[in-house]
Amino acid sequence: MNQTAVLHRKPATERPEIKHTTCYMCACRCGIRVHMRDGEVRYIDGNPNHPLNNGVICAKGASGIMKQYSPARLTKPLLRKPGSERGAGEFEEISWDDAFSLLTERLAKIRATDPKKFALFTGRDQMQALTGLFARQFGTPNYAAHGGFCSVNMAAGMIYTIGGSFWEFGGPDLDRAKLFVMIGTAEDHHSNPMKIAISKFKRSGGKFISINPVRTGYSAIADEWIPIKPGTDGALMLAIIHELIEQGLYDRDFLVRYSNAGQLVSQDADADDFGLFVEDEASDPVNPMYPQNKLWWDRFSDGPVATHAEGADPYLLGRFTLPDGRKVAPSFQLLKERVASNTPEWAEGITGIPAETIRRLAHEMGVTARDQKIELPIAWTDSWGKEHKTVTGNPVAFHAMRGLAAHSNGFQTIRALAILMSILGTIDRPGGFRHKAPFPRAIPPSAKPPNSPAAVKPNTPLGGMPLGWPANPDDLFVDDDGNPVRLDKGFSWEAPLSVHGLMHNAITNAWRGDPYPIDTLLLFMANMAWNSTMNTSEVRKMLNDKREDGEYKIPFLVVCDAFQSETTAFADLVLPDTTYLERHDVMSMLDRPISEFDGPIDSVRIPVMEPKGECKPFQEVLIELASRLKFPAFVTPEGHRKYKNYPEFIVNYETEPGSGIGFLAGWRGAGGDKPMKGEPNPRQWEMYAKNNCVFHYALPPSYRYMRNWNQGYMEWAQRMRIRRFADPILIHIYSDVLQGFRLAAQGKRAGKQPPQHLRARVEKYFDPLPFYYEPLESQAADNVEYPLNAVTQRPMAMYHSWDSQNAWLRQIHAHNYLFVNPLLARSKGIGDGDWIWVESMWGKVRCMCRYSEAVEPGTVWTWNAIGKASGAWRLDADANESQKGFLLNHLISEELPPLPDGRRLSNSDPVTGQAAWYDVRVSIRKADAGEPEQSWPQFDPLPAAPTTSRIKRAWQAYRAGRGEFK
Ligand code: SF4
């Protein structure tokens, strides 16, 4: 840092001013106060009146000022210089008008001929309701956001089981829990709210257990750390379920009434309905999409009865024969049989956790749930009309995220976790797991992806939202031969429940032309040439690779970002985005709001300053393009533009004309007096601005619990269009949805069939009951040569690649190490701080070793996204981030080893397409004496993009808005 810089103070000309908006230094969306003077940011702190963070701010949030004034800011649209190579980062400036004309002309041609040749993939943005709408109106199926490579297993595994999930959609009720078990979570999801909740929980005497290969962040303050081998959490969950059933420590009453545990499953192996719930054909299914005419075996009459029949009580265990001779069993019996061999001793050999610990863990969960029950004096009525005087809680709470999700066995692992939470009786109950609006949703939610190539037509919106929730094989987006329609092969037999798409395969598939080549790829906020991609070095080559005719294999690449990243260097057209302090934004009920347990909450960002240079929010870019391309939702029937800009779009857009439902739920109605639903209010933004940028609808207490089966809540949610139906949402202990796919794979179901090469795979992994299997990469790798698991996690002080360029946060981490248990390191002759090679079956990296006792010895790990390409993000070519920092991504492949016939399958969960980041197997060895003390691989330094700034070293250390170091 240049200590000799001189401060030239300008006199203050304006009074200090405080503006409120919402943080976006990570995805938590805390409320912030931005302290301004002379139009410049002086500092940022937490908004004490915000429901999410109550004034708390983290290191990232407070460092937003350094993102705002980052030298890496792009400030004008840029076009790759004619004749220059992609990746060289040579650009010339163009005007927005030229950029829009160029894009409109290109996209109009694609839309008029073959809309799927345009693909839009976005990173960790928070506007998927808008980007999804844009893709749908364009008519392309090729749209997804980062979820598929982040934690889609968590969303899908939970939602296909309990109708809700963690983080934005639900979480642990730590105000009332007595035992809190956190599994596979770093400190980057739900960051400040989780810290506040854990702090209160611990002060009130709760016990916090962390199960994680690495003890950092939240785990560091756990009362007990249980290290586990990565990718084996499913075995642990199954063993705990085994123990709870063996000990009788499950909540029978809860399971009977609120899950499908008592429903009878067809058990005639030769019958076409084998493994499906038996339906009483003579009874009304009530809702054919979610039929309710299932059967129990009643203990009193010793015969089949309709589920929830008054006075009946079903057996959960046993096997029975229906009067017509069909063999049946309650699904709980099948679960019991499934986990019969999943003993703690069995799990010990897989997870590395002693059987005694597993047994103790199960017992502690079971007795806490059973013996420390909570009764809240809140009367409510369930979906079958039964009135309850109280709400009961079993105070065991869980939280889990990417550590479970980012494995190729993550979906079934998370199904097992959701079932564990359910048999403890903790779903939407005090002290357990609580939903957040718009969840719970039906299992699966009723929105479906398109299911035929005919859904893609020139100059026509797509026949359905690009992403949805398949309920059976006929919902898959495949052609008559079972081939994928989407570029990423989402919703195909390769990954049938890929509800967030497979962004990690988009570039490889487009490059290979499998299933087809595309013309234009638009990336927003996704660093796909670096840390947001697997197989980074090869993907960079693919972006640069040309066809025989000299054209790039991906002919046109558009990148919208606020900063000069590694990916912008590959763009043909760069569109400069704004920062979060310069734009309007919504955290919408149509997308990912910030709801709390007690009711829906949505929030906004309101610009606190003008965009820098010619930066334009991506939202405005989409509105402009949609209007120029005359998408039906964006123009009048006469073809005139409907919305002047994004704020006007947000206020006036309704899901259907007159629906009263829009992006924002607060202050609707002409006068702003209607919550949740009402006609557009021209002053809606003003009202959010006056209310801390937040709208909070507090549900009456009787609607706040048991929402899967709460009649009052369901009817309210249906009126507010949060739910399509008011039916009860029974927990899927047993998944007949999965069994439907398995029957198709077995050729026992009419309708869509998997192609031959995927039949066995679908049959195996679409198991209606959770099971453990070794991650797919471990199955394929030489586990003797590569004996270690390697994982990454985000540091508390940085989020994705945005923050490792932040002048303040770089003082916390400027490069990363590989953290290795000293026992392991010493056994390899590696000293603390030594340069080492880390190798997988896919590649190798050179980096520095750091001893750490806080990692189990079979695992090595590092912080994600600190390593940078030389010169990217406007850092010096010899900055620590590129010279000492490294990316584990070079060791991870986006595809599994080739099948015997040469086909390649995604390195993903075979159910959901979740990227299997944490499956990689590695070995480590000390670098040879004399090797450069520099991370490897290295790339040619990127030149500074035009319109980025000179690095002003001194003011990065201190800037107060009143002056500037020169
Ligand atoms: S937790 Fe995330 S949203 Fe909250 S202050 Fe920190 S960076 Fe901002």
Side-chain angles (χ1 to χ4, degrees):
M1 200 153 296
N2 182 356
Q3 301 294 341
T4 60
V6 179
L7 177 64
H8 296 269
R9 281 195 183 279
K10 289 186 271 183
T13 54
E14 290 177 25
R15 285 160 61 87
E17 199 183 354
I18 299 175
K19 296 189 175 180
H20 294 92
T21 188
T22 304
C23 186
Y24 198 178
M25 292 296 285
C26 84
C28 278
R29 304 157 300 171
C30 299
I32 50 171
R33 302 187 299 195
V34 185
H35 299 254
M36 312 280 298
R37 187 150 66 190
D38 298 340
E40 300 271 17
V41 182
R42 284 181 61 87
Y43 67 96
I44 298 171
D45 64 4
N47 179 353
N49 299 316
H50 197 277
L52 218 64
N53 57 317
N54 304 319
V56 172
I57 191 144
C58 73
K60 299 176 296 239
S63 304
I65 183 169
M66 287 296 145
K67 180 181 267 185
Q68 183 61 32
Y69 298 119
S70 162
R73 289 288 305 273
L74 297 159
T75 53
K76 285 188 175 176
L78 302 171
L79 196 62
R80 185 164 54 83
K81 271 192 182 157
S84 75
E85 285 297 309
R86 272 195 193 159
E90 294 178 27
F91 296 102
E92 56 191 23
E93 297 170 25
I94 60 166
S95 69
W96 271 107
D97 219 32
D98 287 349
F100 279 127
S101 301
L102 188 159
L103 260 180
T104 307
E105 193 184 329
R106 190 162 195 120
L107 294 183
K109 269 191 206 146
I110 300 172
R111 189 164 187 260
T113 50
D114 187 356
K116 65 180 185 302
K117 297 218 159 171
F118 167 63
L120 167 60
F121 286 90
T122 74
R124 194 58 184 93
D125 67 286
Q126 296 178 340
M127 58 175 92
Q128 290 161 33
L130 174 62
T131 49
L133 176 69
F134 182 90
R136 181 180 188 180
Q137 290 281 311
F138 187 93
T140 181
N142 293 322
Y143 161 77
H146 93 303
F149 67 55
C150 182
S151 288
V152 65
N153 268 339
M154 185 52 67
M158 296 279 282
I159 291 170
Y160 273 89
T161 306
I162 63 168
S165 185
F166 285 117
W167 190 21
E168 287 135 317
F169 307 137
D173 179 6
L174 294 187
D175 281 350
R176 296 199 181 89
K178 303 280 189 241
L179 175 63
F180 175 42
V181 183
M182 182 180 264
I183 317 166
T185 309
E187 48 279 322
D188 56 334
H189 282 113
H190 210 46
S191 183
N192 278 346
M194 183 57 72
K195 287 175 217 155
I196 297 167
I198 292 177
S199 160
K200 278 206 288 199
F201 172 77
K202 287 203 66 165
R203 278 172 219 274
S204 61
K207 179 167 180 190
F208 171 19
I209 297 175
S210 169
I211 302 170
N212 200 315
V214 178
R215 185 173 198 176
T216 58
Y218 302 132
S219 302
I221 56 159
D223 298 297
E224 182 178 1
W225 172 46
I226 300 179
I228 184 168
K229 184 174 153 53
T232 67
D233 312 83
L236 175 65
M237 300 301 132
L238 293 169
I240 295 173
I241 294 171
H242 167 100
E243 276 299 292
L244 291 173
I245 295 177
E246 284 297 307
Q247 305 298 324
L249 285 171
Y250 55 91
D251 187 334
R252 183 182 184 280
D253 293 346
F254 181 84
L255 289 173
V256 163
R257 195 153 185 89
Y258 304 121
S259 81
N260 65 17
Q263 292 184 356
L264 300 178
V265 181
S266 166
Q267 288 296 285
D268 283 327
D270 295 334
D272 286 352
D273 70 345
F274 174 71
L276 296 178
F277 288 110
V278 175
E279 290 175 21
D280 178 5
E281 313 255 304
S283 301
D284 181 4
V286 185
N287 180 346
M289 273 181 85
Y290 305 98
Q292 294 177 32
N293 52 342
K294 314 275 175 64
L295 297 176
W296 283 343
W297 198 275
D298 180 28
R299 283 148 54 100
F300 302 125
S301 60
D302 197 20
V305 294
T307 63
H308 298 88
E310 195 56 37
D313 184 30
Y315 281 107
L316 292 188
L317 298 173
R319 288 183 165 268
F320 308 95
T321 304
L322 292 173
D324 63 7
R326 281 183 290 168
K327 307 273 186 228
V328 292
S331 70
F332 194 73
Q333 169 69 28
L334 303 179
L335 176 69
K336 181 173 191 241
E337 291 171 15
R338 165 55 51 88
V339 298
S341 58
N342 299 151
T343 61
E345 284 71 21
W346 165 82
E348 175 176 337
I350 297 169
T351 61
I353 302 174
E356 255 333 287
T357 305
I358 297 173
R359 211 164 259 123
R360 174 172 55 79
L361 202 51
H363 189 257
E364 198 164 350
M365 289 176 190
V367 296
T368 306
R370 186 192 65 190
D371 298 344
Q372 300 200 41
K373 278 197 191 307
I374 299 166
E375 292 290 339
L376 299 182
I378 299 172
W380 65 287
T381 305
D382 73 22
S383 294
W384 301 274
K386 183 171 173 185
E387 293 178 359
H388 302 259
K389 290 203 173 77
T390 60
V391 170
T392 305
N394 297 354
V396 182
F398 293 81
H399 185 57
M401 276 311 293
R402 206 155 167 255
L404 265 69
H407 294 285
S408 55
N409 60 7
F411 177 79
Q412 289 289 4
T413 295
I414 290 160
R415 277 261 303 138
L417 169 65
I419 289 170
L420 167 61
M421 290 160 56
S422 301
I423 69 173
L424 288 166
T426 66
I427 307 303
D428 212 32
R429 289 176 123 185
F433 169 87
R434 305 271 306 277
H435 290 297
K436 298 177 186 174
F439 286 83
R441 288 207 154 131
I443 304 175
S446 50
K448 304 289 170 237
N451 66 354
S452 155
V456 185
K457 292 195 192 90
N459 283 334
T460 309
L462 189 70
M465 286 304 280
L467 301 174
W469 301 84
N472 62 59
D474 297 329
D475 291 334
L476 293 185
F477 202 4
V478 292
D479 66 17
D480 289 345
D481 298 321
N483 298 315
V485 179
R486 286 175 59 103
L487 172 68
D488 62 3
K489 306 189 184 181
F491 306 115
S492 76
W493 288 101
E494 191 174 324
L497 307 186
S498 45
V499 298
H500 291 172
L502 294 91
M503 186 165 171
H504 48 297
N505 290 106
I507 290 174
T508 306
N509 292 359
W511 164 78
R512 194 180 282 138
D514 172 21
Y516 45 78
I518 60 166
D519 178 87
T520 295
L521 174 60
L522 170 52
L523 296 175
F524 170 55
M525 256 177 65
N527 200 6
M528 296 298 287
W530 200 247
N531 58 290
S532 290
T533 202
M534 295 167 152
N535 198 8
T536 303
S537 301
E538 292 305 310
V539 165
R540 290 165 67 91
K541 287 182 199 156
M542 291 174 199
L543 289 171
N544 236 352
D545 198 16
K546 291 183 177 162
R547 307 188 305 226
E548 278 178 4
D549 64 2
E551 175 66 274
Y552 284 108
K553 287 193 170 173
I554 301 173
F556 200 62
L557 179 61
V558 187
V559 178
C560 183
D561 207 308
F563 306 101
Q564 183 202 343
S565 70
E566 288 85 353
T567 303
T568 55
F570 288 86
D572 298 296
L573 177 65
V574 178
L575 305 175
D577 190 25
T578 57
T579 67
Y580 65 106
L581 298 178
E582 299 167 339
R583 67 170 174 235
H584 289 90
D585 228 339
V586 296
M587 275 56 73
S588 165
M589 288 293 290
L590 302 182
D591 193 343
R592 292 163 179 253
I594 61 164
S595 298
E596 288 287 335
F597 301 145
D598 69 356
I601 312 182
D602 64 15
S603 61
V604 300
R605 290 193 183 93
I606 295 179
V608 302
M609 57 201 304
E610 289 296 315
K612 181 168 182 175
E614 293 177 21
C615 292
K616 208 180 265 300
F618 187 54
Q619 293 99 325
E620 294 291 0
V621 171
L622 293 179
I623 302 290
E624 182 68 32
L625 283 173
S627 307
R628 289 186 183 219
L629 291 163
K630 298 197 183 302
F631 293 170
F634 290 81
V635 292
T636 62
E638 298 75 40
H640 301 306
R641 183 178 181 134
K642 265 194 193 165
Y643 310 110
K644 188 172 74 202
N645 54 28
Y646 176 72
E648 196 180 291
F649 164 78
I650 289 296
V651 165
N652 292 300
Y653 175 82
E654 291 179 280
T655 49
E656 297 127 42
S659 70
I661 304 291
F663 275 72
L664 291 174
W667 298 284
R668 299 194 67 83
D673 53 353
K674 295 184 184 167
M676 302 300 295
K677 190 177 167 191
E679 58 279 18
N681 165 17
R683 296 180 53 227
Q684 199 175 24
W685 284 103
E686 252 175 71
M687 293 176 172
Y688 273 87
K690 279 190 195 141
N691 287 279
N692 291 302
C693 297
V694 170
F695 165 72
H696 184 179
Y697 185 91
L699 293 166
S702 62
Y703 291 6
R704 291 182 189 176
Y705 300 92
M706 305 296 281
R707 276 163 284 193
N708 292 49
W709 326 272
N710 184 321
Q711 196 180 73
Y713 172 77
M714 286 294 187
E715 288 169 1
W716 176 84
Q718 193 182 28
R719 280 200 304 281
M720 295 303 136
R721 308 279 292 265
I722 288 174
R723 293 216 57 217
R724 188 166 158 201
F725 307 112
D727 303 348
I729 305 164
L730 286 183
I731 292 167
H732 282 210
I733 298 292
Y734 180 93
S735 175
D736 56 337
V737 173
L738 297 179
Q739 178 67 6
F741 286 86
R742 173 176 268 188
L743 288 175
Q746 292 169 337
K748 290 182 173 177
R749 185 184 184 281
K752 292 183 178 174
Q753 300 288 310
Q756 201 52 39
H757 72 284
L758 293 172
R759 271 191 191 274
R761 172 175 149 119
V762 174
E763 182 180 5
K764 176 170 180 185
Y765 296 113
F766 276 75
D767 194 312
L769 288 164
F771 72 112
Y772 170 76
Y773 55 93
E774 191 180 2
L776 301 185
E777 177 154 336
S778 303
Q779 292 181 29
D782 180 338
N783 293 333
V784 175
E785 191 168 349
Y786 303 108
L788 305 171
N789 293 96
V791 296
T792 59
Q793 61 174 319
R794 287 190 207 116
M796 195 175 269
M798 291 178 174
Y799 193 69
H800 291 277
S801 43
W802 305 335
D803 292 335
S804 35
Q805 51 123 1
N806 184 299
W808 284 358
L809 299 175
R810 287 183 70 208
Q811 295 174 56
I812 301 173
H813 305 277
H815 69 277
N816 51 329
Y817 293 94
L818 190 78
F819 292 101
V820 184
N821 190 295
L823 284 176
L824 169 67
R826 287 193 194 105
S827 75
K828 306 253 173 210
I830 296 170
D832 188 23
D834 281 354
W835 283 92
I836 57 172
W837 285 99
V838 192
E839 291 186 49
S840 74
M841 65 197 277
W842 306 106
K844 60 180 185 176
V845 293
R846 186 171 54 212
C847 61
M848 291 169 84
C849 165
R850 176 60 82 220
Y851 281 10
S852 171
E853 302 277 357
V855 55
E856 68 97 22
T859 301
V860 293
W861 73 277
T862 190
W863 299 121
N864 181 37
I866 292 177
K868 297 252 176 279
S870 177
W873 299 87
R874 215 39 173 101
L875 300 179
D876 285 346
D878 60 356
N880 278 0
E881 282 81 354
S882 62
Q883 302 307 299
K884 290 181 168 178
F886 73 102
L887 272 187
L888 209 62
N889 306 46
H890 294 290
L891 307 182
I892 304 171
S893 173
E894 78 283 33
E895 293 181 323
L896 292 166
L899 296 174
D901 63 3
R903 288 177 214 258
R904 300 296 297 265
L905 296 176
S906 174
N907 180 19
S908 298
D909 188 299
V911 177
T912 61
Q914 153 90 53
W917 291 101
Y918 295 164
D919 283 358
V920 68
R921 308 281 309 190
V922 303
S923 63
I924 57 172
R925 67 177 166 85
K926 188 169 172 170
D928 294 335
E931 282 191 45
E933 294 195 340
Q934 183 191 43
S935 56
W936 192 92
Q938 289 288 323
F939 300 89
D940 290 342
L942 283 174
T947 84
T948 55
S949 322
R950 184 175 61 84
I951 297 175
K952 299 168 190 164
R953 293 177 186 283
W955 69 246
Q956 287 177 314
Y958 174 76
R959 181 179 176 89
R962 289 181 53 207
E964 189 172 324
F965 287 99
K966 302 241 164 130

